[in-house]
Amino acid sequence: MKSFSHPSDVENRLLVVQNQVALACERANRDKNGVTLVAVSKFHDAERISVTLELGHRVFGENRVQEAQDKWPDLRQAYPDINLHLIGPLQTNKVKSAVALFDVIESVDREKLARALAKEFTATQRHLPVYIQVNTGDEPQKAGILPKDADTFISLCQDELGLDVQGLMCIPPAQEEPALHFALLSKIAKRNGLKNLSMGMSGDFETAIDLGATHIRVGTAIFGQR
Ligand SMILES: *Cc1c(COP(=O)(O)O)cnc(C)c1O
């Protein structure tokens, strides 16, 4: 029974997470409207997602273009105010589909991608908000701009490419204290005048809220095991 959950479980878990977010905001002395819960629905089907839509939830994250394309066009027909974030790696050959489908691109992690997005935004006149993904742990196998290159990359995106950079995103190394990475991301955002921080997942979103997250990406705690 571990990996299967009943729709009512999703309903209960969403309410629990929303409550935890409100309490974390209270503890941090923050307005809860300043924290957006991005419900990460990867690997979960439309039926499961619908439970949260019926409860009024509208902001979602997916990490694969193909999977999102299979699930979201129908859901959007029913709920036109859905706000869909791409939170996973984007290949340049999928930029066209991604720009057509998503509302926010959170995973801008290299120059080639930034250029391809800028070109597609111009071509389609669809200028999506973007986040720069920062590899706060300097992990060689992980996507993202290294902290030491972040300032230069942010200027390139804003000044040369004209991207609407709204904030930064990070995925801390699995075995490390996430707070250090959240604090680093916040510091880089601050010195570049960026207001949004997408950080914190099921295991650490309360810590992220305490350190200034404006967007938390929560999957398992809402939808159950993948
Ligand atoms: C899957 C995923 C999440 C959600 O992780 P959970 O631990 O299930 O909450 C958040 N961010 C990214 C980039 C992901 O790929």
Side-chain angles (χ1 to χ4, degrees), residues 40 42 63 87 169 171 201-203 217-221 226:
V40 178
K42 64 187 187 203
N63 72 336
I87 61 170
M169 182 270 239
I171 309 170
M201 315 200 302
S202 290
R217 308 180 309 269
V218 180
T220 312
R226 293 182 286 269

Side-chain angles (χ1 to χ4, degrees), residues 120-138:
E120 182 65 14
F121 292 161
T122 304
T124 57
Q125 283 304 301
R126 190 172 148 75
H127 291 274
L128 302 184
V130 304
Y131 288 62
I132 308 302
Q133 183 173 350
V134 180
N135 184 354
T136 56
D138 278 292

